[in-house]
Amino acid sequence: MEMQKPVKVAMIGVGAISGIYLQNITKTFREVELTGVCDLILERAQKGVDYVTGEIEKGAQVTAPKVYKDMYEAFEDPEVEVILNLTRPYEHYEVTKQALLHGKHVYSEKPLAVDMDEAGELVDLAEKCGLHLGGAPDTFMGAGIQTARRMIDGGMIGQVVGANCAMVCHGHESWHPDPEFYYKRGGGPMMDMGPYYMTALVQLLGEAEGVMGMTKKSFNQRLITSDPHCGETIDVDVDTYLTGNIRFSSGAIAQVFTTFDVYYPQGGSARFEVYGTEGTLIVPDPNTFGGPVMLLRPEDMAAAPKTDPALMRRGLPDIYAGYKEVPLMYDYCENSRGLGLADMCKGLRLGRDYRANVQQQYHVLEILTSFTRSCEEGKYIPLKTKYSRTAPMKNNPMHGILDD
Ligand SMILES: NC(=O)c1ccc[n+]([C@@H]2O[C@H](COP(=O)([O-])OP(=O)(O)OC[C@H]3O[C@@H](n4cnc5c(N)ncnc54)[C@H](O)[C@@H]3O)[C@@H](O)[C@H]2O)c1
């Protein structure tokens, strides 16, 4: 393990998700250095800089970033090596494309682009320019999914036969300050939350082979209840209730459900189970970095008490009877967004592969976009993109420094 010279990064888009990136780049990932930030709304960029300056005053040993007047100023800054694209999904393509054309590597928030044509163009352009492209999600690199992967790879549930995952909620217009993009091209629950689930699925089950979907929108308009747009309505342009199946090259089959149309208890929106010939694994919410990972083996089922007495009194079965919680075996169980960026930066310095790479983002995008396509065309969609899993995480003695 070696501390490398930090890689200089410029952030484009200083909206809702930028806070956690600013925090983690400033406090945790010491091999990433923020040269500057830029937003169409100048006050947002200034707020980002003010946050870092405040942390420097409290003792953070980083350089204060500058405010770029627009993205082109960042692209033309000779110091900058990587562009961190935190704009809205429909803006990813143009920002990433322009950054590549200016000779910069790019790490983009999910999804890679809003459709396969745009994404294919970016993949080709990066290759032609000899530049690196990587992107979110990076939650799969956290302790939860990595522990689940190790359990599966270690044969704890035998051969994987299938998986079942769901993300069920009533949309983001009750809390996000600018929720419109969730209902426009590139939005919807599959493009927004699906990346976490599909990335975790391919990390756990390997390459996907094809998709069948049934999708719709249940509401033509959504009412914003968060400030500052409270009371305004959004016209919904995308499907918001998507169900379907994925066949994996291994022969496993997953059923998937993502929706913004259903009321569900807070904190219960994520469901993720992987089934094997010798057991079942409950995978943690893939939009988080931590646990719990829960394992059910047939021998534990036989030994488990039939029901918890408290539940029995209410006439409810204990659905977790026989499950054992697996201790997390890796670092990064807190919100570590930026971990994928830090790993990519380390990869750039050392010439090694990095985990949140574009091959994964591209494969995941093909899965995401195939549900609606399958529904529209009324057929099974065989996938064209290829995928092989990136290396599992390695624990290092120092938090925030990635492996060599
Ligand atoms: N909000 C979340 O909880 C969350 C979580 C994980 C990932 N993401 C992803 O992060 C990305 C951003 O989401 P958000 O919620 O922060 O959106 P947001 O609308 O709050 O912020 C996006 C910002 O990008 C700026 N922007 C757009 N084009 C620009 C340009 N050309 N130059 C400079 N600035 C530009 C906008 O002015 C805006 O401030 C999306 O891809 C989303 O999928 C969001």
Side-chain angles (χ1 to χ4, degrees):
M1 188 201 68
E2 217 179 300
M3 176 84 176
Q4 304 295 318
K5 199 163 132 269
V7 171
K8 299 198 174 186
V9 174
M11 177 186 285
I12 312 296
V14 194
I17 200 59
S18 67
I20 190 67
Y21 277 92
L22 287 167
Q23 179 185 312
N24 289 339
I25 292 172
T26 307
K27 293 185 180 172
T28 305
F29 298 118
R30 306 304 303 277
E31 293 162 303
V32 180
E33 183 181 326
L34 194 66
T35 58
V37 301
C38 151
D39 198 287
L40 299 175
I41 301 168
L42 184 65
E43 301 85 74
R44 292 188 179 175
Q46 191 53 54
K47 210 169 144 201
V49 169
D50 291 346
Y51 165 78
V52 180
T53 311
E55 289 304 315
I56 293 171
E57 281 160 13
K58 285 189 230 156
Q61 299 196 342
V62 294
T63 320
K66 54 193 149 201
V67 171
Y68 294 110
K69 74 172 178 347
D70 59 28
M71 65 177 183
Y72 293 100
E73 196 181 28
F75 302 160
E76 279 153 21
D77 182 344
E79 268 205 312
V80 172
E81 296 168 80
V82 176
I83 294 296
L84 172 60
N85 183 355
L86 301 187
T87 61
R88 290 156 289 212
Y90 59 86
E91 295 159 328
H92 288 175
Y93 164 76
E94 194 57 30
V95 174
T96 297
K97 181 174 162 183
Q98 292 304 325
L100 291 170
L101 288 171
H102 283 77
K104 305 297 186 193
H105 307 296
V106 179
Y107 183 91
S108 170
E109 250 306 330
K110 45 83 186 164
L112 172 59
V114 297
D115 61 37
M116 288 301 283
D117 290 342
E118 284 189 355
E121 209 187 303
L122 296 178
V123 171
D124 291 346
L125 182 62
E127 201 179 314
K128 195 172 128 215
C129 301
L131 292 163
H132 289 275
L133 196 51
D138 52 6
T139 40
F140 75 91
M141 294 167 66
I145 307 290
Q146 289 293 314
T147 299
R149 175 174 165 172
R150 183 147 160 192
M151 298 303 286
I152 293 171
D153 291 357
M156 295 304 289
I157 59 168
Q159 286 280 105
V160 174
V161 294
N164 180 17
C165 54
M167 193 294 301
V168 186
C169 73
H170 214 279
H172 298 314
E173 62 273 23
S174 60
W175 66 270
H176 195 288
D178 287 307
E180 191 177 28
F181 76 82
Y182 289 112
Y183 298 99
K184 298 296 173 192
R185 187 166 169 260
M190 191 59 85
M191 292 290 272
D192 174 49
M193 297 299 282
Y196 300 110
Y197 290 77
M198 304 311 142
T199 304
L201 274 174
V202 297
Q203 278 284 327
L204 299 175
L205 275 62
E207 184 183 66
E209 188 188 273
V211 171
M212 247 176 119
M214 188 89 62
T215 71
K216 65 164 185 172
K217 66 175 154 177
S218 307
F219 306 99
N220 290 324
Q221 285 199 321
R222 312 289 295 219
L223 177 67
I224 304 178
T225 56
S226 60
D227 283 328
H229 298 288
C230 188
E232 294 173 25
T233 53
I234 306 168
D235 291 328
V236 179
D237 294 346
V238 292
D239 285 348
T240 47
Y241 193 105
L242 299 94
T243 64
N245 293 84
I246 305 169
R247 182 155 54 208
F248 290 83
S249 301
S250 67
I253 294 173
Q255 66 244 37
V256 175
F257 173 34
T258 64
T259 186
F260 283 162
D261 298 349
V262 169
Y263 292 106
Y264 226 64
Q266 279 268 329
S269 60
R271 291 275 181 286
F272 202 138
E273 296 169 336
V274 181
Y275 313 118
T277 51
E278 290 170 42
T280 292
L281 198 69
I282 296 185
V283 177
D285 180 345
N287 185 21
T288 65
F289 287 78
V293 177
M294 311 261 283
L295 174 68
L296 179 70
R297 297 263 316 179
E299 61 272 21
D300 294 329
M301 273 172 82
K306 282 270 176 288
T307 51
D308 177 300
L311 292 172
M312 223 159 66
R313 273 198 296 279
R314 294 166 57 205
L316 297 170
D318 179 359
I319 55 168
Y320 296 113
Y323 274 98
K324 286 188 174 152
E325 186 167 349
V326 180
L328 299 183
M329 290 177 260
Y330 294 86
D331 198 2
Y332 305 109
C333 54
E334 68 290 342
N335 188 349
S336 304
R337 279 191 167 78
L339 179 57
L341 169 71
D343 183 52
M344 176 173 156
C345 289
K346 186 82 174 216
L348 293 184
R349 276 285 174 272
L350 298 181
R352 71 149 165 79
D353 289 340
Y354 44 91
R355 295 167 174 93
N357 66 20
V358 77
Q359 189 212 34
Q360 179 165 280
Q361 262 199 326
Y362 195 32
H363 188 56
V364 163
L365 184 69
E366 190 176 19
I367 303 172
L368 299 173
T369 51
S370 292
F371 289 94
T372 301
R373 209 185 126 200
S374 163
C375 184
E376 283 167 0
E377 296 179 17
K379 63 180 192 202
Y380 174 75
I381 308 289
L383 303 182
K384 296 196 177 99
T385 53
K386 296 282 159 220
Y387 175 74
S388 48
R389 299 192 305 169
T390 48
M393 289 293 280
K394 282 186 197 159
N395 283 323
N396 273 331
M398 203 184 291
H399 188 66
I401 303 294
L402 275 291
D403 52 291
D404 288 350

